[in-house]
Amino acid sequence: MKVTVSRKAHFNAAHRLYRKDWSDEQNNAIFGKCNNPNYHGHNYELIASVTGEIDQETGYVIDVKILKDIIKTEIEDAFDHKNLNLDVEEFKSLNPTAENIVIIIYNKLKAKLESNLELEVTLYETPRNFVTYSGK
Ligand code: NI
């Protein structure tokens, strides 16, 4: 019997969507306002969902305090109040779209979880726009 345990978290960050190898015209055509050279910000919300068997001794799939601490260290401390393009190593050569951000978040969290636990991450870039990744 598997149960999913979820934790919500939040960070504010700035980004710019563009490719250095494209012309200004091409970047504007594809990325529009998101290509603003002076960057723009989002209030990102994320939901990390961990699925696994319930430990018979503790009754937990994962201690939510442990999940909370992993999200704090790996994601909030790394991304909150940062310029993703300039301050975060992973995005120096990777366009910080919601799709790419959710994969980076997934990989950082997955590396800190027990290997028998499954993970799914949903990232909200706006209240209406969100992406989900579960390692597939
Ligand atoms: Ni944006």
Side-chain angles (χ1 to χ4, degrees):
M1 232 175 356
K2 290 190 171 179
V3 173
T4 300
V5 175
S6 298
R7 168 90 189 165
K8 285 186 182 176
H10 172 83
F11 61 92
N12 299 313
H15 74 167
R16 175 191 180 190
L17 303 183
Y18 75 112
R19 291 190 61 99
K20 284 177 207 156
D21 58 331
W22 284 2
S23 66
D24 288 348
E25 291 74 20
Q26 199 171 3
N27 274 304
N28 281 326
I30 299 298
F31 299 119
K33 285 195 295 190
C34 293
N35 175 44
N36 175 7
N38 293 328
Y39 304 93
H40 64 277
H42 292 282
N43 295 316
Y44 290 96
E45 299 279 351
L46 78 94
I47 302 171
S49 297
V50 175
T51 301
E53 298 286 343
I54 299 174
D55 182 291
Q56 289 307 306
E57 280 187 317
T58 62
Y60 288 159
V61 170
I62 182 172
D63 183 341
V64 165
K65 169 77 163 61
I66 292 172
L67 181 58
K68 175 187 170 198
D69 289 347
I70 293 172
I71 294 170
K72 163 94 169 63
T73 309
E74 295 299 310
I75 310 303
E76 293 171 7
D77 290 355
F79 294 175
D80 190 36
H81 286 73
K82 297 289 170 64
N83 178 313
L84 297 178
N85 302 73
L86 301 180
D87 300 331
V88 178
E89 198 57 44
E90 286 88 344
F91 299 114
K92 287 186 176 161
S93 57
L94 180 67
N95 210 11
T97 59
E99 291 89 330
N100 283 331
I101 298 168
V102 80
I103 290 173
I104 296 294
I105 290 174
Y106 173 94
N107 288 339
K108 285 167 73 87
L109 296 179
K110 189 78 176 72
K112 297 289 173 180
L113 294 173
E114 304 268 356
S115 59
N116 58 334
L117 295 171
E118 296 159 36
L119 176 65
E120 179 173 276
V121 178
T122 297
L123 179 71
Y124 285 79
E125 194 167 71
T126 73
R128 294 179 191 214
N129 298 342
F130 55 98
V131 294
T132 299
Y133 182 61
S134 56
K136 288 169 192 148

